[in-house]
Amino acid sequence: MSQKKTGGLAGVIAGRTEICTVGKKGAGLTYRGYDIYDLADNASFEEVAHLLHHGCLPNADELSAYRERLKSLRALPSVLKQALEFIPADTHPMDVLRTGCSVLGNLEPEMDFSGQRDAADRLLAAFPSMLLYWHRFHADGKRIETSTDDDSVAGHFLHLLHDVPPSELHRRTLDTSLILYAEHEFNASTFTARVITATLSDFHSAIAGAIGALRGPLHGGANEAAMELIERFDSPEAAEQGVRDMLARKELIMGFGHRVYTSVDPRNSVNKRMSARLAEEVGDERLYAVSEVIERIMWEEKKLFANADFYSASVYHFMGIPTYLFTPIFVCSRITGWSAHVFEQRADNKLIRPGAEYAGPSLRAWVPLAERG
Ligand code: COA
């Protein structure tokens, strides 16, 4: 197949998975066979994490044991806390998580693959702690205690961020957002994790690589870029003109379009509903209206639809989350999907090493240094 036809590996089936379907005819977006809307409406993020890791929903006892286990893994080793304090305040928090993941991999290395589930649970529990320890240390000058009594990852995150336990509306909203972001088949960061895993490398290397891939604005970084776009406009009218101008200049509008979906991202309606609810709660009269206008123009002009990152931006903003923590929240969620893919890759491993269509110079004669111009 020529490079043109497979640019960015679009449409290429690069492996088998039992974890997730994305836009599959008759199924849509499913995790282990469960429809994303059923999960978003009914499940907790911890149930989804268990589902992705173990292949089945937990029963009540298993769920409560799993919650307790995650709670017990929230504290950070003092060496990691010191390392976080050394990372400058103006560092992007995605880099903080990448480094935090590596440091934890040094302090608590996966000795062999039998430790993979422990490594996965530890990162799931510790990512919010690392992120917010670093954030609060630099933003407020405080060394926070990262063990909280909150039963959920969402509650723990918001509690550490705001210093008080969140309202049930905010906790459930973040919980739902974590469910929507948890897994998405062979996206760029997950595929990165699988490529690293396939060399028989360690768990933390796979996750650190995945964080690096997620950081870019064409992938997870789009939610921060979407927020910057929305905030730029004072009114829906200004947004309409501004976005039309951007499109005329052929600029990318972040939070729109998708490699796999062609007309809708199923996660968008859930995010949009949550954004509307929170806009009402905070009395917003601008950002939600601006978002709706941008969504309309993008469809009218380009037949492009909002993806999962567009309305999650205003959802997070309305909960008082600083924009630079948006993509890291994606990490706190997607660690579940990445882990499931690491387990799956290891269970039936084959080195991932595709070929390339060569487009360089044809064979030529060696030129000694003295004869080169
Ligand atoms: N804004 C403006 N134009 C867009 C666009 C966007 N968000 N997304 C795609 N397009 C246009 C492209 O410019 C291209 O136009 P052309 O054919 O005139 O050159 C066409 O739509 C096809 O896009 P392409 O970049 O080839 O699709 P892709 O499958 O390679 O890219 C994305 C998919 C997600 C990378 C792309 O839609 C994008 O960059 N979106 C913005 C970033 C984003 O939200 N990422 C999060 C994804 S969940």
Side-chain angles (χ1 to χ4, degrees):
M1 228 182 282
S2 81
Q3 204 275 334
K4 246 188 188 147
K5 282 188 198 138
T6 61
L9 298 181
V12 171
I13 303 299
R16 289 169 68 91
T17 183
E18 296 179 3
I19 302 169
C20 175
T21 62
V22 172
K24 187 172 157 55
K25 211 169 167 213
L29 174 57
T30 64
Y31 299 170
R32 302 268 190 202
Y34 291 98
D35 185 276
I36 191 65
Y37 295 123
D38 278 342
L39 295 172
D41 287 348
N42 304 304
S44 64
F45 175 58
E46 288 70 23
E47 284 173 281
V48 169
H50 187 286
L51 172 69
L52 291 169
H53 288 187
H54 298 274
C56 59
L57 289 169
N59 64 28
D61 287 346
E62 287 165 341
L63 179 59
S64 112
Y66 191 43
R67 286 189 190 282
E68 286 309 314
R69 175 165 167 69
L70 293 177
K71 268 161 108 166
S72 75
L73 296 170
R74 287 176 182 162
L76 304 177
S78 56
V79 172
L80 174 52
K81 289 197 264 192
Q82 281 169 32
L84 293 168
E85 290 178 16
F86 276 121
I87 299 175
D90 61 356
T91 303
H92 193 283
M94 285 298 278
D95 300 342
V96 175
L97 285 184
R98 193 190 58 217
T99 299
C101 176
S102 278
V103 173
L104 205 57
N106 286 220
L107 299 174
E108 300 171 9
E110 185 193 28
M111 303 311 275
D112 60 52
F113 293 173
S114 67
Q116 63 181 2
R117 289 187 186 278
D118 292 337
D121 287 348
R122 177 65 161 142
L123 285 176
L124 171 57
F127 272 145
S129 300
M130 289 178 201
L131 178 69
L132 293 161
Y133 184 88
W134 171 83
H135 170 69
R136 298 285 312 278
F137 178 79
H138 289 292
D140 305 340
K142 281 193 180 162
R143 292 189 167 94
I144 58 165
E145 176 52 62
T146 59
S147 301
T148 69
D149 273 344
D150 303 279
D151 278 337
S152 63
V153 173
H156 178 231
F157 184 99
L158 290 169
H159 190 168
L160 293 188
L161 176 64
H162 296 311
D163 234 0
V164 285
S167 68
E168 181 50 22
L169 173 66
H170 287 194
R171 193 206 61 76
R172 180 56 190 159
T173 301
L174 185 58
D175 199 62
T176 306
S177 174
L178 296 175
I179 291 171
L180 296 178
Y181 267 146
E183 165 55 13
H184 220 225
E185 197 223 45
F186 277 24
N187 58 84
S189 56
T190 301
F191 196 62
T192 301
R194 288 192 78 128
V195 169
I196 295 171
T197 300
T199 69
L200 301 182
S201 186
D202 68 294
F203 194 88
H204 297 87
S205 295
I207 302 305
I211 293 172
L214 188 70
R215 186 190 196 290
L218 295 190
H219 192 7
N223 56 12
E224 294 178 23
M227 191 67 229
E228 281 150 20
L229 174 77
I230 297 162
E231 276 188 310
R232 212 184 286 173
F233 302 114
D234 289 336
S235 65
E237 296 71 30
E240 171 148 10
Q241 190 56 51
V243 170
R244 287 192 197 283
D245 292 346
M246 288 173 76
L247 289 176
R249 293 192 299 269
K250 300 219 171 296
E251 287 178 37
L252 276 182
I253 311 294
M254 295 308 187
F256 286 85
H258 200 271
R259 172 57 65 77
V260 181
Y261 301 125
T262 51
S263 57
V264 70
D265 181 332
R267 301 166 294 182
N268 182 49
S269 59
V270 183
N271 280 330
K272 187 171 178 179
R273 194 175 66 218
M274 295 194 298
S275 178
R277 173 75 186 83
L278 293 176
E280 193 184 301
E281 186 197 46
V282 301
D284 164 73
E285 291 183 353
R286 174 169 73 99
L287 296 174
Y288 184 77
V290 162
S291 305
E292 276 200 309
V293 164
I294 298 175
E295 191 183 19
R296 176 173 59 76
I297 304 294
M298 288 302 285
W299 185 253
E300 279 174 15
E301 292 287 323
K302 302 279 291 183
K303 290 288 167 282
L304 282 172
F305 51 91
N307 59 44
D309 291 317
F310 188 62
Y311 280 100
S312 55
S314 49
V315 166
Y316 294 163
H317 179 84
F318 291 143
M319 289 193 289
I321 301 174
T323 303
Y324 78 160
L325 298 183
F326 289 7
T327 316
I329 293 178
F330 200 154
V331 173
C332 296
S333 162
R334 187 57 63 83
I335 177 62
T336 57
W338 290 334
S339 303
H341 281 271
V342 172
F343 304 161
E344 188 177 64
Q345 182 67 36
R346 285 177 171 177
D348 184 19
N349 191 54
K350 179 91 178 156
L351 181 76
I352 299 172
R353 199 295 189 195
E357 181 182 284
Y358 180 66
S362 46
L363 197 60
R364 47 188 168 164
W366 167 251
V367 183
L369 189 55
E371 292 172 25
R372 284 175 226 160

